[in-house]
Amino acid sequence: MISKVGQIMLYVNNQDEAKDFWTEKLGFEVISEENNGQMRSIEVAPKGAATSIVLHSKEFIAKMNPEMNLGTPSIMFFTENLDQLYRDLTNKNVTVGEIVELPSGRVFNFADDEENYFAVMEKRK
């Protein structure tokens, strides 16, 4: 039985730029960076998080597994202070959408430097 989300695989065009985005603009930390000579992977996560994002080279994975869908997965992040995060990302020139009120909480989308979109929610208490 699956008990938790362990890692999310994100396929990017430029791993170094993606690492900079997640660490410098969102404050994630690098958990590991591995390179076995052919395949390089960079694992990032918020400090103390149980789930991490692994950044893989889209070009390399496409060569290894041509039939694989390399589109961006849908990822929903949670935050305790949506307004502060929204201001922080806006001040860092991150593309952000409008804050939307949903029954489960307030949410907005943001994009990384490759125009992959993600969502952040402040859940209702």
Short mmCIF file of all heavy atoms in Angstrom, two decimals, residues 7 10 16 30 33-34 47 52-53 65 68 72 83 91 94 97 102 118-119:
data_model
loop_
_atom_site.label_atom_id
_atom_site.label_comp_id
_atom_site.label_asym_id
_atom_site.label_seq_id
_atom_site.Cartn_x
_atom_site.Cartn_y
_atom_site.Cartn_z
N GLN A 7 8.91 11.26 -3.90
CA GLN A 7 9.60 12.19 -4.79
C GLN A 7 8.70 12.50 -5.97
O GLN A 7 7.88 11.69 -6.37
CB GLN A 7 10.90 11.58 -5.33
CG GLN A 7 11.94 11.32 -4.28
CD GLN A 7 13.18 10.68 -4.88
OE1 GLN A 7 13.10 9.90 -5.81
NE2 GLN A 7 14.31 11.01 -4.32
N LEU A 10 10.64 15.83 -12.06
CA LEU A 10 10.40 16.99 -12.91
C LEU A 10 11.45 16.98 -14.01
O LEU A 10 12.65 16.95 -13.73
CB LEU A 10 10.48 18.27 -12.07
CG LEU A 10 10.14 19.57 -12.77
CD1 LEU A 10 8.71 19.54 -13.30
CD2 LEU A 10 10.30 20.73 -11.80
N ASP A 16 20.68 23.17 -14.18
CA ASP A 16 21.30 24.19 -13.33
C ASP A 16 20.37 25.38 -13.12
O ASP A 16 20.23 25.88 -12.00
CB ASP A 16 22.64 24.65 -13.91
CG ASP A 16 23.69 23.54 -13.84
OD1 ASP A 16 23.78 22.87 -12.80
OD2 ASP A 16 24.40 23.35 -14.84
N VAL A 30 19.15 21.86 -1.56
CA VAL A 30 19.58 20.71 -2.33
C VAL A 30 19.78 19.55 -1.36
O VAL A 30 20.56 19.64 -0.43
CB VAL A 30 20.88 21.00 -3.11
CG1 VAL A 30 21.39 19.74 -3.81
CG2 VAL A 30 20.66 22.12 -4.13
N GLU A 33 22.84 15.68 -5.10
CA GLU A 33 23.14 15.93 -6.50
C GLU A 33 24.02 14.77 -6.94
O GLU A 33 25.11 14.58 -6.41
CB GLU A 33 23.85 17.27 -6.66
CG GLU A 33 23.93 17.74 -8.07
CD GLU A 33 24.25 19.22 -8.20
OE1 GLU A 33 24.12 19.98 -7.23
OE2 GLU A 33 24.64 19.60 -9.32
N GLU A 34 23.50 13.97 -7.87
CA GLU A 34 24.21 12.77 -8.29
C GLU A 34 24.49 12.81 -9.78
O GLU A 34 23.67 13.30 -10.56
CB GLU A 34 23.39 11.53 -7.95
CG GLU A 34 23.16 11.35 -6.46
CD GLU A 34 22.29 10.16 -6.13
OE1 GLU A 34 21.95 9.38 -7.05
OE2 GLU A 34 21.93 10.01 -4.96
N LYS A 47 13.05 22.76 3.48
CA LYS A 47 13.76 22.25 4.65
C LYS A 47 12.83 21.37 5.49
O LYS A 47 11.74 21.78 5.84
CB LYS A 47 14.28 23.42 5.48
CG LYS A 47 15.13 22.98 6.66
CD LYS A 47 15.72 24.17 7.37
CE LYS A 47 16.53 23.74 8.57
NZ LYS A 47 17.86 23.34 8.26
N SER A 52 10.23 15.30 -1.92
CA SER A 52 11.21 16.11 -2.64
C SER A 52 10.92 16.09 -4.13
O SER A 52 10.14 15.28 -4.62
CB SER A 52 12.62 15.59 -2.38
OG SER A 52 12.74 14.26 -2.85
N ILE A 53 11.56 17.01 -4.84
CA ILE A 53 11.48 17.08 -6.29
C ILE A 53 12.84 16.69 -6.85
O ILE A 53 13.86 17.21 -6.39
CB ILE A 53 11.11 18.50 -6.76
CG1 ILE A 53 9.71 18.87 -6.28
CG2 ILE A 53 11.20 18.61 -8.28
CD1 ILE A 53 9.35 20.32 -6.54
N ASN A 65 14.13 6.85 -22.93
CA ASN A 65 12.77 6.31 -22.93
C ASN A 65 11.89 7.20 -23.81
O ASN A 65 11.11 7.99 -23.31
CB ASN A 65 12.28 6.29 -21.48
CG ASN A 65 11.07 5.42 -21.30
OD1 ASN A 65 10.51 4.91 -22.25
ND2 ASN A 65 10.65 5.28 -20.05
N MET A 68 8.08 8.00 -23.20
CA MET A 68 7.68 8.56 -21.92
C MET A 68 7.14 9.98 -22.07
O MET A 68 7.70 10.80 -22.78
CB MET A 68 8.89 8.56 -20.97
CG MET A 68 8.55 8.93 -19.57
SD MET A 68 9.98 8.58 -18.54
CE MET A 68 9.42 9.24 -17.02
N THR A 72 5.01 18.33 -17.55
CA THR A 72 5.11 18.68 -16.13
C THR A 72 3.99 18.02 -15.33
O THR A 72 2.83 18.11 -15.72
CB THR A 72 5.01 20.21 -15.96
OG1 THR A 72 6.04 20.81 -16.71
CG2 THR A 72 5.12 20.62 -14.52
N ASP A 83 -0.40 35.03 1.41
CA ASP A 83 -0.14 36.42 1.03
C ASP A 83 1.35 36.75 1.04
O ASP A 83 1.86 37.41 0.12
CB ASP A 83 -0.90 37.39 1.94
CG ASP A 83 -2.40 37.21 1.82
OD1 ASP A 83 -2.91 37.21 0.67
OD2 ASP A 83 -3.07 37.05 2.85
N ASN A 91 8.04 39.73 -5.84
CA ASN A 91 9.25 40.55 -5.69
C ASN A 91 10.46 39.92 -6.34
O ASN A 91 11.42 40.61 -6.69
CB ASN A 91 9.53 40.82 -4.21
CG ASN A 91 8.53 41.77 -3.59
OD1 ASN A 91 7.87 42.53 -4.29
ND2 ASN A 91 8.39 41.71 -2.28
N VAL A 94 8.89 36.23 -10.22
CA VAL A 94 8.31 34.95 -10.60
C VAL A 94 6.92 35.24 -11.19
O VAL A 94 6.18 36.07 -10.66
CB VAL A 94 8.20 34.00 -9.39
CG1 VAL A 94 7.46 32.73 -9.74
CG2 VAL A 94 9.59 33.69 -8.84
N GLY A 97 -0.10 33.85 -10.84
CA GLY A 97 -1.49 34.12 -11.23
C GLY A 97 -2.21 34.82 -10.10
O GLY A 97 -1.64 35.10 -9.04
N LEU A 102 -11.20 29.16 -3.13
CA LEU A 102 -11.86 27.88 -3.36
C LEU A 102 -12.49 27.41 -2.05
O LEU A 102 -12.10 27.88 -0.98
CB LEU A 102 -10.85 26.84 -3.85
CG LEU A 102 -10.13 27.13 -5.17
CD1 LEU A 102 -9.09 26.05 -5.45
CD2 LEU A 102 -11.13 27.23 -6.31
N PHE A 118 2.76 25.53 -11.40
CA PHE A 118 2.51 24.84 -10.14
C PHE A 118 1.47 25.63 -9.36
O PHE A 118 1.20 26.78 -9.68
CB PHE A 118 3.82 24.73 -9.33
CG PHE A 118 4.93 24.13 -10.12
CD1 PHE A 118 5.81 24.93 -10.84
CD2 PHE A 118 5.09 22.75 -10.17
CE1 PHE A 118 6.83 24.38 -11.60
CE2 PHE A 118 6.11 22.20 -10.94
CZ PHE A 118 6.97 23.01 -11.64
N ALA A 119 0.90 25.03 -8.33
CA ALA A 119 -0.10 25.72 -7.52
C ALA A 119 0.32 25.69 -6.06
O ALA A 119 1.03 24.79 -5.62
CB ALA A 119 -1.46 25.04 -7.69
#
